Amino acid sequence: MDSKTLLLAVKLIALLSIAYLVFLFLPLQAHHLLPVVSITLILIGGGSLLKYKQHNNWIEDKAENHSDTLLVKGASKARRSHHLALLLGGLLLGLIWLTL
């Protein structure tokens, strides 16, 4: 697991922990949690997908020797699906909140 994935997991766990505390100690304001979680998931997932889209515009070039850096322009399908799941999960939570 790389450091970016670990940082994302820590952020999501912190978000859920804060949401739990608000729900536990401020139950009358708990209905505000759903849009906050929704917006956070949309920003995390959508922001990551936009970063991958920006990388697709980079120009490919052949490496001269073993010290050159290798860059894979696109995200792997597994990683892209994780970010897409965050984005769609946030949109779904937002729609659920709107219908309540």
Side-chain angles (χ1 to χ4, degrees):
M1 181 184 302
D2 63 351
S3 62
K4 288 183 181 181
T5 307
L6 183 61
L7 183 62
L8 176 64
V10 169
K11 287 180 184 179
L12 290 174
I13 290 170
L15 176 68
L16 292 174
S17 299
I18 292 169
Y20 174 73
L21 291 174
V22 170
F23 182 74
L24 188 64
F25 293 111
L26 301 168
L28 296 177
Q29 279 73 30
H31 66 281
H32 294 295
L33 289 177
L34 207 52
V36 170
V37 172
S38 173
I39 290 169
T40 303
L41 291 176
I42 290 170
L43 290 176
I44 291 172
S48 299
L49 289 174
L50 287 176
K51 285 181 188 176
Y52 288 131
K53 185 177 179 185
Q54 290 173 351
H55 292 233
N56 286 334
N57 296 331
W58 290 1
I59 299 171
E60 291 184 26
D61 196 7
K62 293 199 181 232
E64 295 293 324
N65 49 52
H66 65 279
S67 65
D68 286 342
T69 304
L70 174 66
L71 173 70
V72 179
K73 292 188 336 179
S76 68
K77 289 182 181 182
R79 180 158 295 180
R80 184 174 297 158
S81 68
H82 293 147
H83 296 297
L84 188 59
L86 289 173
L87 177 68
L88 293 177
L91 289 172
L92 181 62
L93 283 177
L95 289 173
I96 290 171
W97 180 75
L98 286 174
T99 60
L100 293 178

